[in-house]
Amino acid sequence: MSIEKQVLSRERLTWIYNQMVRIREFEERVKRAFIEHPGVIRGHSHLGDGAEASIVGALSTREKDDVVMPTYRCHGYFIVMGTPTRNLMAEVFGRRDGICKGFGGSMHLADPARHLPSANGIIGAGIAQATGAALAAQVKNPGRIVYSFFGDGASKQGAFFESLNMAAVWKLPIVYVLENNQYQAYTHYSLEDANAIAGDPLSQKAHAFSIPGVTVDGTDPIAVHDAVAIAAERARAGNGPSMVETKFYRLSAHGNVITVPPLPTQFPEHEAIGVYGNKAEYEAWKAKDPIPAFRARLRQQGALSEPDAKGIEDAARIELDDAVQFALNSPLPAPEEALNYVYA
């Protein structure tokens, strides 16, 4: 099924840029917290800087009752869906004012009131859960669709193949967004696929199930929007699932983690270049950074003035200053609360 490409309004383009900036600022604050406030974030936090165009471009096609289920690299989806950054940051910090009262942390966020049932820390597990949500939508909420986000590494899990098979057979209303950020943890996807069942592009895996699969530039939010809009319309019309592969580059390390003793600001092990050691690769992708690229595009088109762009960026900094302070001031859960949400 094909639909005409939508011409996005100036307001919508500005909204897309605003959300991308807010995600980047949030991720930068989380990254800095490991250095500026050592010990505040316990365990790993997986950042999505570099993925902003993919996240916002895809979710700009969503309607109000649609369900979104991301993987563990999940902060950006919650920001776009309206979760307050104060409570989101407090959750990453493990505080009582977090959206999960400090029990979820960075990888296990949930905001059901905003149609975000959960993120998932197990690679590929969220694909099966999203497929189940799509079955529920088909039976109980016609017209509702589900967006399932996952990384290139998850496309090698059994849950991926089983879910796509089920979705294809039952024509479930789901859009699978495979976010290829170049690395499965510490292995470049080109090396992974030398021994995998399908190579580049990864979107061809969908074809084995007679599902449309396309690959788009994940640094371009409009390209992502256009591809996902077609997939969403197909799902909404009852014609079944599609898969969109978005290709971009993860600018941070696989996962930021607490380090002792505290390290100086700009410590390279928190950046992709410090982990993978490929300066040329990093600089080539950094030149395609989706945020300055989209900013320049909107300025050239006359859709965003310089004062408006600066206003968006300044507002994001103020918002995240407040979010970090709110999270630091929020109390930790009490020890006696540890088993409150454990069920046998």
Side-chain angles (χ1 to χ4, degrees), residues 94-157:
R95 303 304 176 100
R96 190 181 288 166
D97 291 316
I99 58 173
C100 300
K101 303 182 186 299
F103 287 84
S106 176
M107 289 192 286
H108 301 97
L109 303 175
D111 194 351
R114 293 179 174 83
H115 299 291
L116 286 152
S118 70
N120 199 299
I122 300 173
I123 295 172
I127 304 171
Q129 293 173 344
T131 303
L135 175 59
Q138 184 184 66
V139 173
K140 300 176 68 175
N141 302 96
R144 169 182 286 179
I145 68 172
V146 177
Y147 293 77
S148 174
F149 293 87
F150 51 92
D152 49 289
S155 71
K156 296 167 183 64
Q157 295 284 356

Side-chain angles (χ1 to χ4, degrees), residues 10-295:
R10 178 175 179 173
E11 290 73 22
R12 194 61 171 166
L13 293 170
T14 301
W15 178 87
I16 289 173
Y17 182 68
N18 183 35
Q19 301 309 312
M20 289 171 64
V21 169
R22 293 176 68 231
I23 294 171
R24 177 64 60 87
E25 191 66 27
F26 188 95
E27 302 293 55
E28 287 297 322
R29 297 309 178 93
V30 173
K31 188 187 302 183
R32 281 164 47 184
F34 283 94
I35 299 165
E36 296 174 357
H37 307 287
V40 164
I41 300 176
R42 300 307 177 108
H44 287 267
S45 186
H46 300 80
L47 306 183
D49 44 342
E52 296 88 354
S54 176
I55 295 168
V56 185
L59 293 183
S60 65
T61 69
R62 177 186 169 271
E63 296 185 1
K64 66 182 181 67
D65 288 330
D66 294 338
V67 172
V68 175
M69 299 190 73
T71 182
Y72 54 82
R73 201 175 298 280
C74 54
H75 308 148
Y77 309 93
F78 287 79
I79 291 170
V80 176
M81 297 283 279
T83 302
T85 50
R86 277 183 153 201
N87 305 100
L88 189 61
M89 189 68 75
E91 186 60 40
V92 174
F93 283 18
R95 303 304 176 100
R96 190 181 288 166
D97 291 316
I99 58 173
C100 300
K101 303 182 186 299
F103 287 84
S106 176
M107 289 192 286
H108 301 97
L109 303 175
D111 194 351
R114 293 179 174 83
H115 299 291
L116 286 152
S118 70
N120 199 299
I122 300 173
I123 295 172
I127 304 171
Q129 293 173 344
T131 303
L135 175 59
Q138 184 184 66
V139 173
K140 300 176 68 175
N141 302 96
R144 169 182 286 179
I145 68 172
V146 177
Y147 293 77
S148 174
F149 293 87
F150 51 92
D152 49 289
S155 71
K156 296 167 183 64
Q157 295 284 356
F160 168 84
F161 298 99
E162 293 162 7
S163 297
L164 264 66
N165 183 66
M166 179 181 289
V169 170
W170 290 345
K171 292 189 175 180
L172 298 184
I174 185 167
V175 179
Y176 295 106
V177 183
L178 192 168
E179 296 188 313
N180 183 349
N181 61 18
Q182 309 298 305
Y183 283 90
Q184 178 185 325
Y186 301 99
T187 305
H188 194 272
Y189 84 99
S190 63
L191 298 176
E192 300 162 23
D193 292 323
N195 299 306
I197 60 174
D200 192 18
L202 299 179
S203 59
Q204 66 182 294
K205 293 186 177 186
H207 302 163
F209 303 96
S210 300
I211 295 174
V214 298
T215 298
V216 298
D217 180 359
T219 69
D220 179 351
I222 307 306
V224 175
H225 169 277
D226 290 346
V228 174
I230 293 171
E233 183 66 20
R234 182 174 187 271
R236 226 177 286 283
N239 294 319
S242 305
M243 190 166 78
V244 178
E245 177 193 11
T246 62
K247 296 184 76 171
F248 55 89
Y249 190 80
R250 188 179 68 237
L251 295 171
S252 286
H254 169 63
N256 288 271
V257 66
I258 192 168
T259 308
V260 179
L263 296 159
T265 303
Q266 305 302 320
F267 181 64
E269 286 189 12
H270 288 292
E271 313 293 341
I273 189 173
V275 175
Y276 308 119
N278 192 328
K279 183 177 180 182
E281 174 189 83
Y282 178 85
E283 290 180 347
W285 279 101
K286 185 64 176 172
K288 300 178 184 178
D289 188 323
I291 292 179
F294 193 53
R295 186 187 201 272

